Amino acid sequence: MFNKLEDSLERVGLTGNSNSTNSGTSMTGPAALGILIVGLGGNNGVTMLAGLRANQLGLEWEGPTGKIKANYLGCITQLPMKGGKGGYKETYALADANQAAIGGWDIRPTPLGDALYASHVLDYDLVRQVREPLNKMEILKGVWDPSFIGESQHATASHVIDHASTTHAQSLALLRADIQRFRSTHKIPAHGHITVIWSASVERPTLRDFPSAASLLNAIEVNDPEVSPSLLYAVAACLEGCSFVNGGSQNTLCPGLAELAAHQVQAQGGKEGRRCYILGTDFKAGQTKFKTAAVEYIRALGLTPTVIASSNHLGNNDMLNLTSKKTLDAKMRVKSDIFDGWEEHAVDHQVRVMYTPFIGDEKRDIVEYTSLGFLGSPHTMLTYTRCMDSILCVPLMLDVAVWCDYFARKNLSPEQAALATAYLFKVPEGAAKGADPGFFHQMDMLEKVLEGTRCAAMPPALRMLLARQSTTAAKAKALQAQEEGGGMEGGDDEPWIGGLLCVGLSCLDLMLLGASGEGEAFGTIKTFQKQAFCPGGSAPQSSLAVAEMMYGLEGRKGGRGKRRSVVKVLTKVGNDVHGEELLRHMEEAGVDTSLVLRDDGQSTGLAVLPILATTGARGCFANLHINDSFTPAEALEALREGREDGGLQGVSALHFGYPHLMKQFQGTSLRDFLKEAAGVLNVKENGGEGEGGGGGAAAAAAVKPRASATRRSLLLSMDLNGVTTSNNDPSILTEALPWTDVLHLNEEEANLLLSGNDSGIQISDAATSRSSLQQAADALLAQGLAIVTLTLGECGAYVKVTSNEKRLQASEALAWQATKWAGQEALLPPYPLQAGAEVNTNGAGDAFIGGFVAAMLCKTKSLSLKQATSFALLTARERVDSLRRASPTKASYAELLREALEVQ
């Protein structure tokens, strides 16, 4: 089960401030932003310090070509527009690098001015002017673990937090104290952003993947030897609300780190400047940057890149560290993987690196590009580059800190920030994993993200592009998990026993919020305060409500063609702008939309919903015609294709919505669809379909869990809507109810169904008549259902479970929680809204049933019926509460579950 993050923080001693004996740098005066460098005494660190001081003081010096004046060439965040490009600083009011405070850590005590002199990177006349002031700056002691670094670095590592006598938790506390006092010393305001940049020697890869924040914090608590120094710096940065940038090649970025950063945003309430980012990996400064531009050019010509053979050699300390095989492996990983986003598997990409001490920091690289052109004729290009490595890298370090500061002030999502800065890294990882590697494509993405920050509402085309691009980030991780046999659902760190597939009616809802007109005649003019689009219909609403709580689990993000999301949707939409908007909303929430059917000849369903300002009640004007053409045959074919593609692995529940509004899914057609869908999704080890079974209550009850199946037998749930006196014919549902494990409906719909059955049973005032609720639920359970869930508006919800224990064994996923609920009932009030929130009931029932199914799939097998119902009510609250609904940070599955478990 998902561990409690706050408990982990408390056990490691990370919820309060720590004290440190380390002092800050000697820079004085208020700073607009902060940059903390791991490896401050390295060539990059001292070159940055010298460059900042030269620009702050307007220094001039003699160089080989004559007099030089301090400048920020190479830092695109600081340069004016030229040739129609750049000018970002003035256009977007970016931070002035001259106002940055700089500090950091190093494992060597060499005074920084002396380190600058020894590096031979900058002209001596400049070094002479800044050496003494840099020597006065204090270097913070670095975290040191000799197992993670090359043997060549061990002898000089004397300025360290002692590895043998200090635990990970103690080291982390010291790093946090360093960051806290750095902020205080330089008077960086609470909304001012600090970026921690790893510019130290490359570490060997850690042998552990930390899939959650809880697992990462627990590893720190138990002093796990696979927690690297870079991970400790990254965790310290997150916990202090700072961004962390992995400028090295090691595998620091992990799902647990991303979740921890997201948790800090939630803990701070999403306030300006408190969002932090996890970015990397390995700065793309020289050879690799040109490679991605050159291959993009080759591809644009229509040529096929076939062989890319490259070498580079230099003699700085970073290259010396790579003479150790354990660290060289990390560097070669990122240098070799730069084209993965293009899936150019036929390219023979060869990379060689050499340590040549005489060359020092002046990198030399040679690359030969061989491609196939017209009629297979070879096309070859050769490039040669010479430049100081630090001169290439430092501008990227300055730029990424300025971008992090700007993006935090604009409260950009981690996905947008990662995609916008992908151009800076050899292998974009974390939220940008799988991004297009083309340099010019990446720069175009930066422009689009920046343009979006100037709009009150991001342009739909840009939002759609970002949604599609960001979902690509999970692809490599998901495929790797699949290849390793881990699968999507039910893993050790997954809170569910399986995934959810939502099928049925869909439309795009246009909500008219704050509408007037309650009790007025139809023809009178009504007003509304604002409008908003959102997914409508059962399949989008339920999938979105559940996906939002699951969003952020690495490899679980959805999107078009991305098969690894824990929540999937199957519906039919038009190939039009409304369809694009509907899909965009679902994709951004993390729903896998790869099964969605597109119809060029029809318009996406559209509903106009006035939401009354006084009560939150809604009206509805809808055009749902495309749903009339959605057939069981189409749905089953999509499921079979999804199964063949491996996109339906681990689905443990199928939820169907609104049969009274789905003309093709009624009566025996609905029953047969549920049976056949269960067969398609109950895939046996030999690749065949599981048995669908026969119809009727007895047959449904006879379905046994299949121990030989690779995936669990399916939980089937159904949601009702659109039931009226003209369509409450019992034949619409009678044949399908014995195949339905969980039915959701509201009080009015229950009365209409029961009146259609001539049962004589009616639910009276839900607030006072429990007996009528029991009678109504019993009448519905008698038709073959296992569980009836009734939502009662402001009175909450009522749930009743059949006492037929055999019926509760109809599917393994049903039996997982429900066997212990036999004969039980729960009547609970709704959860209160936040102060100042307005009521918006649109999608509340869909969220409730989605939450109830999610609770039934919870790995915590000890959930009581009341706790499952509470979880469903909490999920509905996320939709009904206008402030929660609009918040960019949603309550997570773990947070809702923790609150539900408090119910006894």
Short mmCIF file of all heavy atoms in Angstrom, two decimals, residues 707-741:
data_model
loop_
_atom_site.label_atom_id
_atom_site.label_comp_id
_atom_site.label_asym_id
_atom_site.label_seq_id
_atom_site.Cartn_x
_atom_site.Cartn_y
_atom_site.Cartn_z
N ALA A 707 -8.12 -19.11 -11.67
CA ALA A 707 -6.78 -19.08 -11.12
C ALA A 707 -5.71 -19.12 -12.20
O ALA A 707 -4.59 -18.67 -12.01
CB ALA A 707 -6.60 -20.26 -10.17
N SER A 708 -6.06 -19.65 -13.39
CA SER A 708 -5.07 -19.79 -14.44
C SER A 708 -4.92 -18.53 -15.28
O SER A 708 -4.04 -18.43 -16.10
CB SER A 708 -5.45 -20.95 -15.38
OG SER A 708 -6.69 -20.67 -16.00
N ALA A 709 -5.79 -17.55 -15.11
CA ALA A 709 -5.74 -16.34 -15.93
C ALA A 709 -4.56 -15.48 -15.51
O ALA A 709 -4.21 -15.42 -14.35
CB ALA A 709 -7.02 -15.56 -15.81
N THR A 710 -3.94 -14.79 -16.51
CA THR A 710 -2.83 -13.89 -16.18
C THR A 710 -3.34 -12.62 -15.54
O THR A 710 -2.59 -11.94 -14.87
CB THR A 710 -2.05 -13.54 -17.46
OG1 THR A 710 -2.95 -12.94 -18.40
CG2 THR A 710 -1.44 -14.78 -18.07
N ARG A 711 -4.61 -12.24 -15.73
CA ARG A 711 -5.19 -11.05 -15.14
C ARG A 711 -6.47 -11.42 -14.44
O ARG A 711 -7.13 -12.41 -14.74
CB ARG A 711 -5.46 -10.00 -16.23
CG ARG A 711 -4.20 -9.45 -16.86
CD ARG A 711 -3.35 -8.67 -15.86
NE ARG A 711 -2.09 -8.26 -16.44
CZ ARG A 711 -1.15 -7.59 -15.78
NH1 ARG A 711 -1.32 -7.24 -14.55
NH2 ARG A 711 -0.02 -7.26 -16.38
N ARG A 712 -6.82 -10.58 -13.50
CA ARG A 712 -7.97 -10.89 -12.66
C ARG A 712 -9.27 -10.82 -13.44
O ARG A 712 -9.40 -10.04 -14.37
CB ARG A 712 -8.00 -9.90 -11.50
CG ARG A 712 -6.70 -9.93 -10.71
CD ARG A 712 -6.60 -8.70 -9.81
NE ARG A 712 -5.31 -8.68 -9.16
CZ ARG A 712 -4.23 -8.14 -9.71
NH1 ARG A 712 -4.31 -7.59 -10.88
NH2 ARG A 712 -3.08 -8.17 -9.08
N SER A 713 -10.24 -11.58 -13.04
CA SER A 713 -11.57 -11.51 -13.65
C SER A 713 -12.18 -10.14 -13.39
O SER A 713 -11.89 -9.48 -12.41
CB SER A 713 -12.47 -12.60 -13.06
OG SER A 713 -11.92 -13.87 -13.29
N LEU A 714 -13.06 -9.75 -14.29
CA LEU A 714 -13.50 -8.37 -14.39
C LEU A 714 -14.61 -8.00 -13.41
O LEU A 714 -15.55 -8.77 -13.22
CB LEU A 714 -13.99 -8.12 -15.81
CG LEU A 714 -13.78 -6.74 -16.42
CD1 LEU A 714 -12.31 -6.41 -16.51
CD2 LEU A 714 -14.41 -6.69 -17.79
N LEU A 715 -14.49 -6.82 -12.81
CA LEU A 715 -15.59 -6.19 -12.09
C LEU A 715 -16.38 -5.36 -13.10
O LEU A 715 -15.81 -4.57 -13.85
CB LEU A 715 -15.04 -5.28 -10.99
CG LEU A 715 -16.04 -4.38 -10.26
CD1 LEU A 715 -16.95 -5.20 -9.36
CD2 LEU A 715 -15.32 -3.31 -9.45
N LEU A 716 -17.70 -5.55 -13.14
CA LEU A 716 -18.56 -4.83 -14.08
C LEU A 716 -19.46 -3.87 -13.31
O LEU A 716 -20.18 -4.29 -12.40
CB LEU A 716 -19.41 -5.81 -14.89
CG LEU A 716 -18.63 -6.74 -15.82
CD1 LEU A 716 -19.56 -7.78 -16.43
CD2 LEU A 716 -17.93 -5.96 -16.92
N SER A 717 -19.40 -2.60 -13.66
CA SER A 717 -20.26 -1.61 -13.01
C SER A 717 -21.01 -0.82 -14.07
O SER A 717 -20.62 -0.78 -15.23
CB SER A 717 -19.44 -0.65 -12.13
OG SER A 717 -18.50 0.06 -12.92
N MET A 718 -22.12 -0.19 -13.65
CA MET A 718 -22.95 0.57 -14.59
C MET A 718 -23.50 1.80 -13.90
O MET A 718 -23.79 1.79 -12.71
CB MET A 718 -24.12 -0.31 -15.08
CG MET A 718 -24.93 0.33 -16.22
SD MET A 718 -26.37 -0.65 -16.67
CE MET A 718 -25.59 -2.20 -17.15
N ASP A 719 -23.61 2.87 -14.68
CA ASP A 719 -24.14 4.14 -14.19
C ASP A 719 -25.34 4.53 -15.04
O ASP A 719 -25.32 4.35 -16.26
CB ASP A 719 -23.06 5.22 -14.27
CG ASP A 719 -23.45 6.50 -13.53
OD1 ASP A 719 -24.43 6.46 -12.77
OD2 ASP A 719 -22.77 7.52 -13.75
N LEU A 720 -26.37 5.05 -14.40
CA LEU A 720 -27.58 5.45 -15.12
C LEU A 720 -27.68 6.97 -15.20
O LEU A 720 -27.24 7.69 -14.29
CB LEU A 720 -28.82 4.89 -14.44
CG LEU A 720 -28.91 3.37 -14.27
CD1 LEU A 720 -30.28 2.98 -13.76
CD2 LEU A 720 -28.59 2.65 -15.57
N ASN A 721 -28.29 7.42 -16.30
CA ASN A 721 -28.60 8.83 -16.49
C ASN A 721 -29.59 8.92 -17.64
O ASN A 721 -29.65 8.03 -18.48
CB ASN A 721 -27.34 9.65 -16.82
CG ASN A 721 -27.55 11.14 -16.61
OD1 ASN A 721 -28.68 11.61 -16.42
ND2 ASN A 721 -26.46 11.90 -16.65
N GLY A 722 -30.38 9.96 -17.65
CA GLY A 722 -31.33 10.13 -18.74
C GLY A 722 -32.54 9.23 -18.65
O GLY A 722 -33.25 9.03 -19.65
N VAL A 723 -32.83 8.69 -17.47
CA VAL A 723 -34.03 7.87 -17.29
C VAL A 723 -35.23 8.80 -17.15
O VAL A 723 -35.23 9.73 -16.33
CB VAL A 723 -33.91 6.98 -16.04
CG1 VAL A 723 -35.12 6.06 -15.93
CG2 VAL A 723 -32.62 6.18 -16.07
N THR A 724 -36.24 8.58 -17.97
CA THR A 724 -37.45 9.40 -17.92
C THR A 724 -38.67 8.49 -17.92
O THR A 724 -38.57 7.27 -18.07
CB THR A 724 -37.53 10.34 -19.15
OG1 THR A 724 -37.71 9.54 -20.33
CG2 THR A 724 -36.27 11.18 -19.28
N THR A 725 -39.83 9.10 -17.77
CA THR A 725 -41.06 8.31 -17.79
C THR A 725 -41.32 7.70 -19.16
O THR A 725 -42.06 6.71 -19.29
CB THR A 725 -42.26 9.20 -17.42
OG1 THR A 725 -42.29 10.36 -18.27
CG2 THR A 725 -42.15 9.65 -15.96
N SER A 726 -40.68 8.25 -20.19
CA SER A 726 -40.91 7.72 -21.54
C SER A 726 -39.93 6.62 -21.92
O SER A 726 -40.12 5.95 -22.94
CB SER A 726 -40.81 8.86 -22.57
OG SER A 726 -39.52 9.43 -22.55
N ASN A 727 -38.86 6.42 -21.14
CA ASN A 727 -37.89 5.39 -21.51
C ASN A 727 -37.53 4.46 -20.35
O ASN A 727 -36.48 3.81 -20.38
CB ASN A 727 -36.62 6.01 -22.10
CG ASN A 727 -35.79 6.76 -21.06
OD1 ASN A 727 -36.14 6.82 -19.89
ND2 ASN A 727 -34.68 7.34 -21.50
N ASN A 728 -38.37 4.41 -19.32
CA ASN A 728 -38.05 3.56 -18.18
C ASN A 728 -38.57 2.14 -18.34
O ASN A 728 -38.90 1.47 -17.36
CB ASN A 728 -38.56 4.18 -16.88
CG ASN A 728 -40.08 4.28 -16.83
OD1 ASN A 728 -40.74 4.24 -17.87
ND2 ASN A 728 -40.63 4.40 -15.63
N ASP A 729 -38.58 1.68 -19.59
CA ASP A 729 -38.99 0.31 -19.88
C ASP A 729 -38.01 -0.65 -19.22
O ASP A 729 -36.80 -0.59 -19.46
CB ASP A 729 -39.00 0.11 -21.40
CG ASP A 729 -39.58 -1.25 -21.81
OD1 ASP A 729 -39.55 -2.18 -20.99
OD2 ASP A 729 -40.03 -1.37 -22.96
N PRO A 730 -38.50 -1.58 -18.42
CA PRO A 730 -37.60 -2.52 -17.74
C PRO A 730 -36.72 -3.32 -18.68
O PRO A 730 -35.62 -3.75 -18.30
CB PRO A 730 -38.56 -3.43 -16.97
CG PRO A 730 -39.80 -2.63 -16.80
CD PRO A 730 -39.90 -1.77 -18.03
N SER A 731 -37.17 -3.53 -19.93
CA SER A 731 -36.41 -4.37 -20.86
C SER A 731 -35.05 -3.78 -21.21
O SER A 731 -34.16 -4.49 -21.69
CB SER A 731 -37.22 -4.58 -22.15
OG SER A 731 -37.39 -3.35 -22.83
N ILE A 732 -34.85 -2.48 -21.01
CA ILE A 732 -33.56 -1.87 -21.31
C ILE A 732 -32.46 -2.47 -20.44
O ILE A 732 -31.32 -2.66 -20.89
CB ILE A 732 -33.64 -0.34 -21.12
CG1 ILE A 732 -34.54 0.28 -22.19
CG2 ILE A 732 -32.25 0.30 -21.17
CD1 ILE A 732 -34.74 1.77 -22.04
N LEU A 733 -32.80 -2.79 -19.19
CA LEU A 733 -31.78 -3.24 -18.23
C LEU A 733 -31.93 -4.69 -17.77
O LEU A 733 -30.95 -5.28 -17.29
CB LEU A 733 -31.80 -2.34 -16.99
CG LEU A 733 -31.44 -0.86 -17.18
CD1 LEU A 733 -31.53 -0.15 -15.84
CD2 LEU A 733 -30.05 -0.70 -17.75
N THR A 734 -33.12 -5.25 -17.86
CA THR A 734 -33.40 -6.54 -17.20
C THR A 734 -32.36 -7.60 -17.53
O THR A 734 -31.86 -8.31 -16.64
CB THR A 734 -34.80 -7.03 -17.58
OG1 THR A 734 -35.76 -6.06 -17.17
CG2 THR A 734 -35.09 -8.37 -16.93
N GLU A 735 -32.03 -7.76 -18.81
CA GLU A 735 -31.10 -8.81 -19.22
C GLU A 735 -29.68 -8.54 -18.75
O GLU A 735 -28.88 -9.46 -18.55
CB GLU A 735 -31.12 -8.97 -20.74
CG GLU A 735 -32.42 -9.49 -21.30
CD GLU A 735 -32.67 -10.94 -20.92
OE1 GLU A 735 -31.68 -11.68 -20.75
OE2 GLU A 735 -33.84 -11.33 -20.76
N ALA A 736 -29.33 -7.26 -18.60
CA ALA A 736 -27.94 -6.91 -18.27
C ALA A 736 -27.67 -6.85 -16.77
O ALA A 736 -26.52 -7.00 -16.34
CB ALA A 736 -27.59 -5.55 -18.89
N LEU A 737 -28.69 -6.63 -15.95
CA LEU A 737 -28.47 -6.44 -14.51
C LEU A 737 -27.81 -7.65 -13.85
O LEU A 737 -26.94 -7.46 -12.97
CB LEU A 737 -29.77 -6.08 -13.81
CG LEU A 737 -30.32 -4.68 -14.12
CD1 LEU A 737 -31.59 -4.41 -13.32
CD2 LEU A 737 -29.28 -3.60 -13.83
N PRO A 738 -28.15 -8.90 -14.20
CA PRO A 738 -27.44 -10.01 -13.56
C PRO A 738 -25.95 -10.04 -13.88
O PRO A 738 -25.18 -10.68 -13.16
CB PRO A 738 -28.14 -11.25 -14.14
CG PRO A 738 -29.50 -10.77 -14.53
CD PRO A 738 -29.28 -9.38 -15.02
N TRP A 739 -25.55 -9.37 -14.96
CA TRP A 739 -24.13 -9.29 -15.30
C TRP A 739 -23.46 -8.04 -14.73
O TRP A 739 -22.26 -7.84 -14.92
CB TRP A 739 -23.97 -9.31 -16.83
CG TRP A 739 -24.04 -10.70 -17.35
CD1 TRP A 739 -25.13 -11.39 -17.73
CD2 TRP A 739 -22.93 -11.57 -17.47
NE1 TRP A 739 -24.80 -12.66 -18.10
CE2 TRP A 739 -23.44 -12.80 -17.96
CE3 TRP A 739 -21.57 -11.46 -17.24
CZ2 TRP A 739 -22.62 -13.90 -18.20
CZ3 TRP A 739 -20.75 -12.55 -17.48
CH2 TRP A 739 -21.27 -13.75 -17.95
N THR A 740 -24.23 -7.23 -14.05
CA THR A 740 -23.71 -5.99 -13.49
C THR A 740 -23.45 -6.18 -12.00
O THR A 740 -24.36 -6.51 -11.24
CB THR A 740 -24.71 -4.84 -13.69
OG1 THR A 740 -25.01 -4.73 -15.09
CG2 THR A 740 -24.14 -3.52 -13.18
N ASP A 741 -22.19 -5.98 -11.59
CA ASP A 741 -21.85 -6.16 -10.19
C ASP A 741 -22.26 -4.95 -9.35
O ASP A 741 -22.77 -5.11 -8.24
CB ASP A 741 -20.33 -6.37 -10.04
CG ASP A 741 -19.86 -7.62 -10.76
OD1 ASP A 741 -20.55 -8.64 -10.67
OD2 ASP A 741 -18.81 -7.56 -11.42
#
